[in-house]
Amino acid sequence: MAARRKIIIDTDPGQDDAVAILLALASPELEVLGITAVAGNVPLALTEKNARKICELAGRPDIPVYAGAAQPLVRKLVTAEYVHGKTGLDGPDLPEPTMPLQPGHAVDFIIETLDAAAEDEITLCALGPLTNIALALNRAPHLAGRIREIVSMGGGLFEGGNTTPAAEFNIYVDPHAAQAVFHCGRPVTLHPLDLTHQCLTTRERVDAFRAMGTRVGTATAELLDFFERFDEQKYGTEGGPLHDPNVIAWLLAPELYSGRQINVEVETGSELTMGMTVADWWRVTDRPRNVHYMRYVDEAGFYALLTERLARLD
Ligand code: BDR
Ligand code: CA
């Protein structure tokens, strides 16, 4: 087998983050060097604990989990308990984790990992607000070349926002971090709402997880049952969009995806449109094409991959 791709998962679990982490841990093509938690869907004390719960669910208490930024770079933290529940991981009854949180800060872990890596070696998978990654790049710009790619879920153009009419949650929470990361000079691949809204958790798809009859399959179905209830009502669809696992699925099966290299700028000035990703899909400006913007996914292929991989756990 080819060398495994080395990734760090930066995340704010979140039910869809949890499914993304399970997908990564189930996939032999990927080597998860560590998980770094950031404040987002719920405060940091919960996101770091949730990350450990998911590692234990996957039977991987050996994965180092670090806590990072408790607040965005500039703005006050906004959370989303109304979507994810009080714990951030409402749905299944997962035991309190017994694996330890690593000592040290997530940003130090990211910097130390880059420092020990070769050029172009590390892929950063960002499933939440981009605060930790922006802090690492700001403190160690000389190590940016060690980053092969930053793959991130966030933003939207055609679908509008899901937190304000203009902004998607991850970018809205820390727009300054997003703008810095999108302009860091390393390849950035973005999975916006325009893409993730194609990946609906229909009854049949959720039932396929339940039918596995494993701990992971049952927990995944329960996570998604909880997660979809809010968006089903909001959008009037059968099931809700599944966002974050696209970041990992894209690493595993890029042929399922298509997009374009375009310019994306993040609004950080206007309160009305704060966190909007101004995505130049039609290339009407000559601003630098800094982001690989994913637009379409073969959603049946995405769910087939996810189901096949999660069935390997337990
Ligand atoms: C993003 O925000 C969070 O609620 C989800 O985990 C996902 O990362 C979707 O807008
Ligand atoms: Ca997330």
Side-chain angles (χ1 to χ4, degrees):
M1 191 170 89
R4 294 192 297 161
R5 184 162 175 164
K6 294 183 177 174
I7 69 170
I8 294 175
I9 303 178
D10 189 73
T11 176
D12 63 337
Q15 290 87 353
D16 61 327
D17 302 70
V19 178
I21 294 168
L22 291 172
L23 175 60
L25 295 178
S27 296
E29 301 91 332
L30 303 176
E31 181 180 355
V32 181
L33 300 177
I35 297 182
T36 51
V38 67
N41 288 322
V42 285
L44 181 68
L46 289 170
T47 59
E48 64 84 356
K49 183 161 80 168
N50 291 344
R52 290 184 289 135
K53 282 185 180 175
I54 296 304
C55 289
E56 290 190 353
L57 174 65
R60 294 298 306 276
D62 57 300
I63 301 285
V65 174
Y66 294 84
Q71 291 289 332
L73 296 186
V74 178
R75 290 169 63 81
K76 257 177 67 84
L77 178 65
V78 174
T79 53
E81 286 85 356
Y82 62 98
V83 179
H84 300 272
K86 206 154 54 67
T87 65
L89 220 48
D90 280 20
D93 193 13
L94 297 173
E96 288 296 294
T98 59
M99 64 184 275
L101 179 68
Q102 295 297 311
H105 197 281
V107 173
D108 291 326
F109 169 73
I110 295 171
I111 292 173
E112 281 156 21
T113 305
L114 293 177
D115 196 29
E119 287 295 292
D120 273 332
E121 193 177 4
I122 307 294
T123 299
L124 300 178
C125 299
L127 313 180
L130 287 154
T131 321
N132 285 340
I133 294 176
L135 286 169
L137 285 164
N138 184 266
R139 268 186 37 207
H142 60 290
L143 296 177
R146 313 283 170 92
I147 299 173
R148 173 168 164 186
E149 184 170 12
I150 299 164
V151 189
S152 169
M153 188 279 138
L157 172 67
F158 300 99
E159 290 288 309
N162 63 358
T163 301
T164 72
E168 179 279 331
F169 180 78
N170 290 338
I171 310 293
Y172 181 73
V173 172
D174 200 337
H176 300 87
Q179 176 71 349
V181 169
F182 293 173
H183 286 276
C184 73
R186 299 307 300 159
V188 172
T189 295
L190 192 63
H191 292 262
L193 297 178
D194 304 324
L195 177 126
T196 65
H197 278 192
Q198 294 158 40
C199 297
L200 293 175
T201 55
T202 61
R203 197 76 346 249
E204 194 187 341
R205 289 167 176 165
V206 176
D207 285 344
F209 295 117
R210 212 181 324 269
M212 286 172 189
T214 60
R215 240 159 51 89
V216 167
T218 305
T220 302
E222 290 172 356
L223 285 166
L224 297 181
D225 280 343
F226 187 90
F227 187 49
E228 71 191 9
R229 87 208 184 295
F230 176 79
D231 280 341
E232 264 191 329
Q233 267 215 338
K234 179 171 161 193
Y235 298 116
T237 46
E238 186 200 335
L242 187 52
H243 308 284
D244 293 340
N246 281 289
V247 166
I248 305 296
W250 184 76
L251 297 179
L252 299 169
E255 66 281 3
L256 298 176
Y257 293 84
S258 64
R260 275 189 197 175
Q261 192 71 30
I262 61 166
N263 174 263
V264 178
E265 305 290 333
V266 180
E267 177 63 76
T268 56
S270 147
E271 265 312 314
L272 182 65
T273 53
M274 183 62 68
M276 179 176 183
T277 44
V278 181
D280 188 6
W281 178 259
W282 300 113
R283 295 177 169 162
V284 294
T285 71
D286 52 14
R287 291 196 285 254
R289 294 178 182 168
N290 55 335
V291 168
H292 191 196
Y293 191 95
M294 290 294 134
R295 179 76 176 90
Y296 300 105
V297 56
D298 166 356
E299 72 268 22
F302 164 77
Y303 274 99
L305 174 70
L306 188 56
T307 310
E308 185 267 316
R309 290 305 169 96
L310 295 202
R312 299 183 188 193
L313 293 173
D314 223 1

